[in-house]
Amino acid sequence: VIFGKKSLQSCTNVYGDLDQFFATKSPQFGVVWGEGTYNPDDTDLYSFELTSCTGTAEALAQYEAIYRTALGHLSDNGGITGDLVIPDSIEKVSGWAFDGWAIDSITMSNTTQFDGPVFNRNENLKSVNIIVKDPDAAVNLEGKILPEDIEVTYIIDPAVTGDEDLGALLASAIANAGEGDVIKVYPGDYNIPQDNETMVEGQTGWYLPITKNNITIVGVDEDGNEITDPTLTQANIYSTDYSANGAWPTQNLITVLGDGVTIKGLTIMNKIAANKSLEVVGTDFTIENCKFAPISEELLVDVDEEETGYAYDEYKEYGASLYFSNADVAASVTNNYFDHSGITLDGTSNADITITGNTFNGVKNWNNDPAYTYSTIGYTSWANPPVTDISDASITITENKFID
């Protein structure tokens, strides 16, 4: 063990299973186990390639004493180590103490900031939970926690945050989630605000664009259990922010642009000036255990009918549309409940879509007009010229229930 900025040397007497290690660039001390090479181009940390895991117990104890005094925290039992500096003005990570972490999960708010990386020394840490409290904040996790395959879950829970700005909190979680992250949506009314600032696909004015790959958005009950019955969903996703249908971003409530996105256990409604509730542009998409429905009357109490042209009596049976617009999309639509709502396939000429085990209620009756036939699963093409040949597509529709 070497103190100060010196090249590494090997030492003997193996102490523990230290497959992760850390050294500060602070001139008064720098500690590593093993041997490697100093990288002068790294402005934040020493960078080493560990070739052996060594160190004496006496040197380790001396190191821990200095390290704890200098940085205020260290795990002495194989938990988390690293240069984690949280200013007093920033909410601290729960569970932190001077003797460090020895737990498999940590919880923080999305206002937490890391000035340096947090290493998972002995792979104790399995998950990180981020409670989304501020729609304008984002915890800077990238490059801070190793290994990178630790499960990160964003949590939006009105019991913690209150009922204000739930739609904005959900939008913030989706915007800041990384690949492979999970977003848990607790019971509540999530009124999504239109975003006229963020640029996506060269345009602004989106409501809820999902651009990241391989993220999962799941509705849960008040105890955090995943919703599996689509008739018992408890998180309502909708918008009363009015924008006339025109440009692409203003047409959709939710737009899935990333690949590998999974959505489960939510109630998906319209935005006022309804068009497509959920448009899927990416591929490898999964939706299950969700309810598609018109906006409930109680959610429209503050809507100005004259300004928006949206009245409950007119739109109470104008349901939510699940819309696929990628010619090559692969998707699974399983065990969802469509209340006066349907699925539209747009130009899906090479698609691989399975629609199974869903219930479609209100198939033929729209605004009590018996002459109107509601389209539960239909095909269209807005291309010019229209795409009429879908013989190369694989569309499997099986074991669904259709109710007048």
Side-chain angles (χ1 to χ4, degrees):
V1 177
I2 302 169
F3 292 88
K5 291 186 177 180
K6 299 179 181 179
S7 61
L8 293 176
Q9 300 174 2
S10 61
C11 48
T12 56
N13 300 325
V14 173
Y15 182 91
D17 178 18
L18 303 175
D19 59 354
Q20 297 285 355
F21 66 98
F22 173 81
T24 74
K25 197 178 178 181
S26 179
Q28 61 266 35
F29 70 90
V31 183
V32 296
W33 290 265
E35 56 187 7
T37 305
Y38 169 58
N39 178 8
D41 295 326
D42 190 329
T43 58
D44 296 320
L45 302 169
Y46 284 128
S47 178
F48 302 101
E49 179 180 358
L50 188 63
T51 57
S52 62
C53 193
T54 60
T56 65
E58 292 80 9
L60 179 62
Q62 183 182 9
Y63 159 64
E64 290 185 337
I66 295 175
Y67 192 82
R68 185 182 294 112
T69 300
L71 293 183
H73 47 261
L74 175 78
S75 172
D76 57 6
N77 49 7
I80 306 300
T81 66
D83 183 16
L84 171 58
V85 180
I86 305 176
D88 291 339
S89 59
I90 302 297
E91 183 173 349
K92 286 184 169 59
V93 176
S94 63
W96 189 264
F98 275 89
D99 59 354
W101 272 320
I103 52 179
D104 60 5
S105 178
I106 58 175
T107 299
M108 66 191 76
S109 81
N110 70 322
T111 61
T112 303
Q113 296 296 302
F114 295 100
D115 293 339
V118 180
F119 284 77
N120 177 16
R121 187 205 291 176
N122 275 350
E123 299 184 357
N124 284 352
L125 182 63
K126 303 301 181 184
S127 64
V128 175
N129 299 312
I130 301 171
I131 299 174
V132 184
K133 293 184 176 180
D134 183 348
D136 298 318
V139 59
N140 58 332
L141 278 184
E142 185 174 356
K144 305 301 180 180
I145 294 181
L146 300 176
E148 295 180 355
D149 60 355
I150 288 176
E151 179 179 300
V152 177
T153 300
Y154 288 80
I155 296 171
I156 307 101
D157 185 357
V160 177
T161 64
D163 294 329
E164 297 292 328
D165 299 323
L166 289 181
L169 293 178
L170 176 58
S172 173
I174 289 174
N176 291 295
E179 184 167 339
D181 290 354
V182 175
I183 300 170
K184 285 188 175 182
V185 187
Y186 277 70
D189 297 327
Y190 293 78
N191 191 353
I192 307 298
Q194 187 179 20
D195 183 354
N196 290 308
E197 297 181 2
T198 304
M199 189 76 68
V200 177
E201 295 289 311
Q203 300 182 68
T204 60
W206 303 88
Y207 285 78
L208 199 59
I210 302 174
T211 61
K212 305 292 178 59
N213 296 332
N214 302 316
I215 69 170
T216 298
I217 305 169
V218 56
V220 298
D221 64 20
E222 61 182 7
D223 296 320
N225 301 310
E226 183 177 325
I227 300 291
T228 57
D229 184 338
T231 66
L232 299 177
T233 52
Q234 300 178 42
N236 301 315
I237 316 299
Y238 66 103
S239 180
T240 59
D241 264 11
Y242 174 76
S243 64
N245 285 307
W248 181 27
T250 66
Q251 296 175 11
N252 305 334
L253 176 63
I254 305 170
T255 309
V256 178
L257 299 151
D259 297 335
V261 172
T262 297
I263 299 176
K264 302 190 288 186
L266 302 176
T267 303
I268 299 172
M269 301 177 175
N270 291 317
K271 68 178 187 69
I272 55 176
N275 193 324
K276 296 167 285 184
S277 296
L278 196 166
E279 180 173 359
V280 180
V281 183
T283 190
D284 296 325
F285 173 76
T286 299
I287 187 161
E288 59 188 38
N289 308 329
C290 285
K291 180 181 180 180
F292 288 80
I295 301 180
S296 303
E297 185 174 17
E298 64 270 16
L299 300 177
L300 297 170
V301 292
D302 296 325
V303 173
D304 187 326
E305 293 182 14
E306 291 186 4
E307 178 184 349
T308 64
Y310 195 100
Y312 175 72
D313 285 341
E314 181 179 356
Y315 286 93
K316 62 184 179 181
E317 292 181 352
Y318 193 104
S321 171
L322 172 58
Y323 196 95
F324 293 95
S325 59
N326 178 352
D328 302 309
V329 64
S332 172
V333 183
T334 306
N335 194 41
N336 301 282
Y337 184 83
F338 291 84
D339 177 12
H340 292 83
S341 303
I343 301 171
T344 300
L345 312 178
D346 180 355
T348 50
S349 55
N350 296 295
D352 183 359
I353 301 175
T354 299
I355 303 170
T356 184
N358 304 281
T359 297
F360 296 84
N361 189 28
V363 172
K364 296 180 179 178
N365 198 12
W366 183 77
N367 279 351
N368 298 310
D369 181 356
Y372 186 90
T373 301
Y374 197 85
S375 175
T376 53
I377 305 173
Y379 177 84
T380 188
S381 175
W382 285 86
N384 188 15
V387 177
T388 58
D389 182 2
I390 60 171
S391 58
D392 290 333
S394 174
I395 312 296
T396 302
I397 302 173
T398 181
E399 299 181 9
N400 300 284
K401 182 184 294 184
F402 302 89
I403 304 171
D404 287 354

